């Protein structure tokens, strides 16, 4: 069954963002895609307060062996998929290490403290250079902007999954994505989700790569 | 009307599809639901509460295909009673709730434990160590010991399914209710699970009651005579303990003998495995994972306790396993020798908050004298330095377009206008956040469901001691039915001078829009009669008004008028939750800011919209000194337009 090889076992992914960005959906889609490859998948999620402006993290453990802790130990993340720029920084501070890879959506979601003027949202260029310094490789994608062109900003999360497939470190296959979406969503949503997935994968090919 | 898959981020898993032996990625709660189906469950009742809600939702979704009766009961005590009725009539039944729910149901549970059951009955309770989605981290394992019923704790996702099946068998073997405890990190986590077969159910419900008073199978179900029943109950518990001796849910991995024995249960099992693996201690440390945690099987414990004299016990929040292991070790001392324990009392494992791999790593590294660094020091230093400005903190806030923000805006303003230092008493729900600035710190007490009204009832009687502060209590629509009614009756009957505000957002919003008695639909989506909150209050003799919280002027006027009336007043604020399925994705208004009109800091409003009202759909542009709208986040409720004093925020009705 486990003919697939992983760069690390368990391979640890954190999908992060802000409540309402579709984080939980993204983690279930990625988890099911990898589970279809015969891999053991464990996902840990923090929600409840997740729709209420807080940071949301999903921890994915991918293994050829068994279930792992639904919480990744500190400093042990291999890939961060961040739906929001400052959330990438927050994850790196706890779970980062010199070999981590980062995929980051560039659309900010302002915290309440930023909206009120009590806190400053850092300039995107600064975030890019910090993430680059704290990672082995990173990619910054305008996923939300592209998703809005498709008519719904939430599709940004699907683009990020396409992009994760595009960097080629994990056995994420388009036909698995198609199968998972077909199972999990009403049939009329498939075409749009596939478009978003393909756009995400293309963004990686479009020279978005920055190596830290 | 109600999308029961809401909490799962919209991701639908069909737990019926898949043959015996097939492998699926399931959330812990889905695995529990599948286990109940494989056991042939017929009746399932519960009250929504994170992290337990998806169990009932998943089963409600398949209720017609599997001929289940599934209900969201009015509260957890009634849920246990509904499930017990099914058991008395010979069916397999399950009651489901979060940790606080066991407190609510415990009055009945004490009697049930004494009476016993017929068809297998399982009580699934999901605890929330760390209070990730709760107002406390109280846990319900202790009820098993206090009420003398068996307790099981799954240690991974496969066990979450298989253990439920076994719990039904055990319940039928001993004729008593069995508790199965999950925690957030299992219930809301996902893992691969292999399916078993679904049985064909043919059992007809029938309650036999004409046998003798003490006939457990055909007599009446009663806790009388209590001392006799109590003796029978303890025999049942002893039978469960004997079954536990050979249970496959108690596993040991590691060398024999180990230098150190770790004893654990539940999600901590996975943290312990991780810690042993990261420290490379597989050949030195043994892990005894217990699935049957009350009562502990003494022979099994003797076997493992004998192996070594150093023992680390890993569990969450206050000690339960640790106490029970230590008692057994004391009882067995002559056979196993004296032990050195590393646990909560010895300061190795914390007694508050949830556990995680890092806490276990720290304890294990200390005991085994190993140096463990999670991150290279230079990286750790630099990332900590950068995160300060790189990731501004995110305070919890009501969602964009949340009716509670508008409601508390008015409640707060009216209390300020009144000027007598009035206050609000709250309880559990999204509106608990009104103790924070997002609800303008309007709530000054926050306790159990319905407690705001009980406290207000008491505050409202303090006039004879000179208290003249206006007292408000806020309750949700589901909470109203769950726990407010007795307190409300108390307040009416004793003529307490208070105002109760019902924040009616058309569903049990915090846990994902489960139905409640105020709605015309049940858990399975059937049409049912709705109970009208305003009519109930009126029938009790309260002065009742209804308003739309988005109509700020009308709501404020109504509340000021109510403050002039003596006795018990009820204001029902009706507006559906911004995330409710009927509202999601539909804007009432297109909202925009006319930058030529917005005066920013030069306006006398002190940035009312972004500094005080603080809806996440608003933006403050520090360069141009004007407010704006974040079009990705704004849901178009239009309330900010009615609070902008200069008319810069404008709204246009969406056709």
């Amino acid at each position: 069954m486990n003919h697939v090889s992983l760069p690390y076992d368990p391979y640890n992914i954190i999908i992060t963002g802000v409540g309402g960005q579709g984080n939980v959906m993204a983690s279930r889609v990625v988890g099911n895609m990898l589970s279809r490859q015969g891999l053991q998948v464990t996902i840990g999620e923090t929600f409840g307060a997740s729709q209420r402006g807080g940071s949301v993290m999903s921890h994915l453990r991918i293994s050829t062996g068994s279930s792992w802790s639904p919480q990744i130990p500190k400093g042990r993340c291999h890939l961060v998929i961040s739906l929001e720029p400052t959330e990438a920084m927050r994850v790196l501070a706890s779970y980062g290490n010199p070999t981590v890879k980062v995929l980051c959506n560039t659309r900010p979601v302002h915290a309440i403290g930023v909206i009120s003027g009590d806190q400053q949202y850092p300039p995107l260029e600064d975030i890019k250079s910090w993430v680059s310094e704290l990672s082995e490789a990173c990619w910054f994608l305008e996923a939300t902007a592209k998703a809005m062109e498709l008519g719904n900003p939430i599709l940004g999360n699907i683009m990020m999954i396409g992009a994760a497939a595009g960097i080629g470190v994990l056995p994420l296959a388009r036909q698995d994505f198609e199968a998972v979406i077909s199972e999990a969503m009403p049939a009329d949503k498939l075409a749009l989700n596939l478009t978003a997935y393909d756009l995400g994968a293309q963004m990686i090919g479009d020279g978005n790569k920055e190596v830290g | 009307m109600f999308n029961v898959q809401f909490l799962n981020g919209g991701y639908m898993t069909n737990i019926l599809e898949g043959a015996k032996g097939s492998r699926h990625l399931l959330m812990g709660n889905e695995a529990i639901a599948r286990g109940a189906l494989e056991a042939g469950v017929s009746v399932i009742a519960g009250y929504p509460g994170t992290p337990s809600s998806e169990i009932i939702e998943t089963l409600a979704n398949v209720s017609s295909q599997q001929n289940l009766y599934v209900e969201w009961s009015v509260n957890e005590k009634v849920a246990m009673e509904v499930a017990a009725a099914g058991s008395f009539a010979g069916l397999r039944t399950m009651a489901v709730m979060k940790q606080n729910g066991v407190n609510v149901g415990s009055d009945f549970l004490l009697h049930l434990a004494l009476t016993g059951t017929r068809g297998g009955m399982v009580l699934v309770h999901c605890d929330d160590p760390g209070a990730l989605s709760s107002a406390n981290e109280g846990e319900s394992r202790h009820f098993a010991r206090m009420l003398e019923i068996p307790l099981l704790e799954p240690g991974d996702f496969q066990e979450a399914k298989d253990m439920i099946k076994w719990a039904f068998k055990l319940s039928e073997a001993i004729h008593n209710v069995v508790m199965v405890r999950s925690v957030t990190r299992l219930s809301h986590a996902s893992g691969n699970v292999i399916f078993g077969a679904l049985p064909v159910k043919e059992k007809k419900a029938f309650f036999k009651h004409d046998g003798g008073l003490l006939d457990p199978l055909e007599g009446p179900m009663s806790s009388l005579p209590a001392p006799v029943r109590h003796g029978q109950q303890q025999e049942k518990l002893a039978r469960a303990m004997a079954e536990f001796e050979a249970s496959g849910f108690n596993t040991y991995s590691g060398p024999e003998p180990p230098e150190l024995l770790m004893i654990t249960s539940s999600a901590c099992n996975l943290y312990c495995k991780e810690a042993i693996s990261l420290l490379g201690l597989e050949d030195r440390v043994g892990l005894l994972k217990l699935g049957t945690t009350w009562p502990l099987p003494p022979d099994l414990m003797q076997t493992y306790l004998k192996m070594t004299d150093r023992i680390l016990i890993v569990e969450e929040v206050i000690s339960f396993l640790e106490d029970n292991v230590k008692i057994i070790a004391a009882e067995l001392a002559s056979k196993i020798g004296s032990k050195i324990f590393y646990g909560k009392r010895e300061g190795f494992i914390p007694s508050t908050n949830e556990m995680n791999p890092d806490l276990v790593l720290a304890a294990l590294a200390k005991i085994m004298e190993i140096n463990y660094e999670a991150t290279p020091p230079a990286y750790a230093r630099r990332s900590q330095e950068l995160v300060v400005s790189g990731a501004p903190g995110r305070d919890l806030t009501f969602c964009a377009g949340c009716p509670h923000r508008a409601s508390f805006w008015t409640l707060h303003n009216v209390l300020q206008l009144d000027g007598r230092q009035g206050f609000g008493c709250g309880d559990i729900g999204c509106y608990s956040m009104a103790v924070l600035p997002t609800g303008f710190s309007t709530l000054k007490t926050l306790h159990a469901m319905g407690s705001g009204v009980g406290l207000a009832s008491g505050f409202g009687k303090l006039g004879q001691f000179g208290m003249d502060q206006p007292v408000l209590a806020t309750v949700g629509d589901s909470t109203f039915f769950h726990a407010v009614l007795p307190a409300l009756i108390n307040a009416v009957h004793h003529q307490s001078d208070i105002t109760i505000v019902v924040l009616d957002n058309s569903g049990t919003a915090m846990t994902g829009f489960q139905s409640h008695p105020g709605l015309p639909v049940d858990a399975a989506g059937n049409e049912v009669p709705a109970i009208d909150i305003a009519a109930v209050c009126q029938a009790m003799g309260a002065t009742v008004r209804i308003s739309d919280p988005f109509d700020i002027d009308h709501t404020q006027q109504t509340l000021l008028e109510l403050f002039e009336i003596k006795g018990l007043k009820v204001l029902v604020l009706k507006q559906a939750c911004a995330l409710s399925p009927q509202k999601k994705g539909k804007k009432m208004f297109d909202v925009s800011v006319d930058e030529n009109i917005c005066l920013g800091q030069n306006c006398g409003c002190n940035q009312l919209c972004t500094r005080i009202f603080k809806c996440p759909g608003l933006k403050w542009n520090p360069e141009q000194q004007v407010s704006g709208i974040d079009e990705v986040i704004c849901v178009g409720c239009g309330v900010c337009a009615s609070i902008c004093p200069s008319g810069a925020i404008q709204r246009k009705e969406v056709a």
Side-chain angles (χ1 to χ4, degrees):
Chain A
M1 192 183 216
N2 299 320
H3 51 278
V4 184
S5 73
L6 294 166
Y8 302 93
D9 196 340
Y11 191 88
N12 302 328
I13 309 167
I14 294 180
I15 303 182
T16 185
V18 180
Q21 286 194 296
N23 203 298
V24 174
M25 167 62 89
S27 76
R28 295 283 300 229
V29 171
V30 170
N32 274 287
M33 287 170 73
L34 293 166
S35 179
R36 290 177 69 87
Q37 294 280 331
L39 292 159
Q40 284 292 122
V41 176
T42 314
I43 311 175
E45 258 142 1
T46 310
F47 57 76
S50 62
Q51 286 284 355
R52 290 143 192 112
S55 309
V56 190
M57 258 195 303
S58 302
H59 289 198
L60 286 86
R61 318 294 306 272
I62 316 299
S63 175
T64 56
S66 62
S67 287
W68 286 87
S69 151
Q71 299 186 72
I72 295 171
K74 298 277 175 338
R76 298 274 162 176
C77 185
H78 302 117
L79 173 65
V80 180
I81 301 174
S82 184
L83 305 178
E84 204 280 345
T86 58
E87 292 312 310
M89 288 301 296
R90 207 183 313 279
V91 164
L92 290 175
S94 290
Y95 299 95
N97 57 73
T99 61
V100 68
K101 294 179 165 55
V102 180
L103 278 163
C104 184
N105 181 14
T106 52
R107 176 63 145 84
V109 175
H110 285 182
I112 276 305
V114 172
I115 292 170
S116 68
D118 298 333
Q119 288 172 309
Q120 293 283 313
Y121 194 91
L124 191 61
E125 287 315 308
D126 289 356
I127 299 179
K128 283 184 175 177
S129 83
W130 295 332
V131 168
S132 167
E133 181 186 338
L134 294 174
S135 62
E136 184 188 82
C138 54
W139 297 260
F140 295 93
L141 311 172
E142 293 184 355
T144 301
K146 268 266 188 290
M148 285 170 80
E149 289 171 20
L150 291 183
N152 189 348
I154 194 96
L155 288 167
N157 63 357
I158 299 295
M159 282 183 197
M160 297 301 288
I161 297 173
I167 65 172
V169 291
L170 286 165
L172 290 163
R174 190 181 189 274
Q175 69 267 26
D176 287 330
F177 176 77
E178 192 171 345
V180 167
I181 293 294
S182 304
E183 271 171 22
M185 286 187 198
D188 60 342
K189 302 254 171 85
L190 178 63
L192 194 57
N193 276 285
L194 275 174
T195 307
Y197 181 89
D198 290 339
L199 277 170
Q202 274 168 30
M203 285 186 198
I204 295 301
D206 288 348
N208 278 300
K209 183 165 179 176
E210 293 184 21
V211 178
Chain B
M1 177 179 179
F2 289 90
N3 176 3
V4 291
Q5 292 294 348
F6 173 81
L7 248 191
N8 213 352
Y11 193 96
M12 296 188 284
T13 306
N14 185 339
I15 61 159
L16 290 184
E17 262 176 36
K20 183 180 175 186
S22 60
R23 182 174 160 278
H24 303 260
L25 183 59
L26 294 190
M27 191 192 247
N29 281 343
E30 293 168 335
I32 289 169
R34 173 74 193 189
L37 286 181
E38 291 181 8
V41 72
S42 292
V43 175
I44 306 101
Y47 184 81
T50 313
S52 71
S53 310
E54 297 81 4
I55 299 171
I56 295 237
E57 291 179 338
T58 304
L59 291 167
N61 265 356
V62 300
S63 57
S64 55
Q65 295 107 298
Q66 292 291 299
N67 188 28
L68 310 175
Y69 175 69
V70 186
E71 76 167 38
W72 285 124
S73 306
V74 69
N75 65 31
E76 293 88 348
K77 177 168 175 281
V78 175
M80 283 189 202
E81 290 156 351
V82 166
S87 161
F88 294 173
L91 303 175
R92 288 193 165 186
T93 70
M94 189 161 85
V96 183
M97 56 206 58
K98 71 180 292 176
Q99 80 273 12
N100 309 47
V102 185
N103 303 347
V104 175
S106 61
D107 194 10
F108 174 69
L109 190 59
L110 171 61
H111 290 85
L112 179 68
L114 211 49
T115 313
T117 54
R118 286 185 187 159
M121 178 171 167
V122 176
L123 167 59
V124 176
H125 51 111
C126 302
D127 289 3
D128 191 17
L132 299 167
S133 302
S134 303
N136 64 60
E137 58 174 352
E139 59 161 291
S140 42
R141 287 184 298 175
H142 302 268
F143 278 102
R145 189 163 61 184
M146 191 163 78
L147 304 183
E148 299 168 285
I149 46 181
L151 172 70
L152 308 179
E153 295 184 70
D156 63 28
F157 308 95
Q158 185 70 42
E159 281 194 0
K161 179 183 81 67
D162 296 342
M163 199 176 259
I164 292 287
K165 246 163 108 172
W166 190 62
F168 278 102
K169 265 197 212 158
L170 180 67
S171 169
E172 279 173 7
I174 65 164
H175 289 297
N176 213 350
V177 61
V178 172
M179 294 177 76
V180 178
R181 182 229 193 193
S182 179
V183 293
T184 305
R185 296 295 181 187
L186 286 175
S187 278
H188 275 183
S190 307
N192 290 100
V193 174
I194 293 169
F195 280 8
L198 292 179
V200 180
K201 295 183 296 176
E202 283 162 357
K203 199 141 195 177
K204 186 173 181 291
F206 186 78
F207 177 37
K208 292 179 190 159
H209 55 66
D210 50 2
L213 186 64
L214 283 175
D215 181 341
L217 299 179
E218 301 198 352
M221 294 304 267
S222 143
S223 54
L224 300 175
V228 177
R229 295 276 189 182
H230 196 181
Q232 292 173 343
Q233 185 193 349
Q234 289 177 351
E235 285 166 21
K236 292 173 181 182
L237 194 65
R239 289 215 296 281
M241 190 167 79
E243 293 267 340
F244 291 173
E245 292 288 3
S247 165
F249 293 112
N250 301 320
T251 57
Y252 176 80
S253 51
E256 298 186 30
E259 290 173 45
L260 174 81
L261 176 67
M262 293 173 82
I263 304 179
T264 193
S265 68
S266 192
C268 290
N269 171 44
L270 297 168
Y271 309 151
C272 290
K273 275 190 192 171
E274 186 102 38
I276 292 170
S277 160
L278 278 178
L279 295 179
L281 291 171
E282 291 90 343
D283 299 331
R284 297 174 60 196
V285 171
L287 178 62
L288 177 62
K289 193 279 296 178
L290 294 171
T292 67
T293 43
W294 178 257
L296 288 178
D299 293 349
L300 176 108
M301 294 308 294
Q302 184 179 332
T303 306
Y304 292 102
L305 289 172
K306 219 166 46 187
M307 292 198 310
T308 179
D309 57 4
R310 300 204 300 161
I311 293 154
L312 166 62
I313 302 163
V314 181
E315 66 183 320
E316 296 182 291
V317 201
I318 57 174
S319 59
F320 175 79
L321 186 60
E322 180 174 325
D323 294 354
N324 298 333
V325 168
K326 285 177 175 173
I327 289 169
I328 283 208
E331 289 169 353
L332 296 172
S334 64
K335 295 172 184 158
I336 61 173
S338 75
K339 304 291 164 190
I340 300 165
F341 286 105
Y342 307 95
K344 294 180 191 292
R345 288 180 188 280
E346 295 76 21
F348 285 82
I349 302 292
S351 295
T352 60
N353 217 333
E354 67 168 337
M355 290 296 293
N356 58 43
D358 296 287
L359 288 168
V360 183
L361 273 163
L364 192 55
K366 189 171 163 194
I367 296 165
M368 301 302 286
E369 296 176 343
I370 295 171
N371 206 4
Y372 175 78
E373 259 169 8
T375 318
Y379 186 96
R381 232 181 359 258
R382 184 64 179 145
S383 65
Q384 291 306 319
E385 213 173 273
L386 290 175
V387 78
V388 177
S389 43
R394 291 190 188 274
D395 289 338
L396 285 182
T397 171
F398 293 127
C399 304
C402 175
H404 294 334
R405 179 178 288 101
S407 295
F408 283 105
W409 177 259
T410 303
L411 298 186
H412 171 77
N413 288 343
V414 167
L415 287 171
Q416 294 299 111
L417 280 172
D418 175 88
R420 286 177 292 164
Q421 287 196 279
F423 57 92
C425 301
D427 66 16
I428 306 304
C430 290
Y431 54 95
S432 299
M433 289 198 296
V435 297
L436 306 173
T438 189
F440 319 105
S441 307
T442 311
L443 293 180
K444 302 299 182 186
T445 75
L446 173 61
H447 300 85
M449 287 183 70
S451 293
V453 178
L455 280 166
S457 175
F459 279 126
K461 292 309 293 178
L462 300 182
Q464 79 182 81
F465 305 107
M467 183 165 167
D468 76 335
Q469 293 161 283
V471 181
L472 297 173
T474 57
V475 306
D477 40 342
S478 188
T479 309
F480 180 83
F481 297 103
H482 178 282
V484 167
L485 287 169
L488 179 60
I489 288 168
N490 193 70
V492 174
H493 183 64
H494 294 101
Q495 295 178 285
S496 195
D497 191 14
I498 57 174
T499 305
I500 294 169
V501 181
V502 183
L503 304 165
D504 183 352
N505 57 5
S506 299
T508 320
M510 185 159 202
T511 48
F513 299 100
Q514 294 81 10
S515 60
H516 63 61
L519 298 170
V521 65
D522 70 6
N526 304 305
E527 253 183 66
V528 286
I531 290 140
D532 184 336
I533 293 175
V536 168
C537 296
Q538 231 144 19
M540 285 181 188
T543 306
V544 181
R545 298 282 185 277
I546 299 172
S547 188
D548 173 358
F550 284 176
D551 188 340
I552 302 256
D553 290 343
H554 180 259
T555 304
Q556 178 164 329
Q557 204 49 46
T558 309
L559 194 58
L560 283 167
E561 281 164 24
L562 285 177
F563 272 21
E564 298 301 312
I565 301 170
K566 278 265 165 242
L568 191 110
K569 290 86 60 175
V570 175
L571 173 61
V572 182
L573 294 179
K574 269 183 99 71
Q575 180 63 247
C577 169
L579 304 175
S580 67
Q582 68 261 39
K583 252 192 187 178
K584 224 179 169 186
K586 294 181 203 109
K587 284 190 177 187
M588 267 160 52
F589 299 100
D590 274 327
V591 184
S592 58
V593 175
D594 187 330
E595 294 186 0
N596 298 317
I597 301 177
C598 178
L599 301 171
Q601 276 172 335
N602 297 324
C603 178
C605 77
N606 188 24
Q607 286 170 250
L608 192 66
C609 59
T610 52
R611 285 194 67 80
I612 317 291
F613 190 65
K614 286 204 264 201
C615 176
L618 292 160
K619 282 191 303 197
W620 172 248
N621 182 333
E623 285 84 43
Q624 292 172 22
Q625 293 283 307
V626 288
S627 292
I629 304 293
D630 187 328
E631 74 267 34
V632 172
I633 293 168
C634 175
V635 299
C637 72
V639 174
C640 56
S642 44
I643 65 153
C644 174
S646 66
I649 305 181
Q650 297 171 355
R651 65 189 201 188
K652 219 169 54 200
E653 218 160 314
V654 176

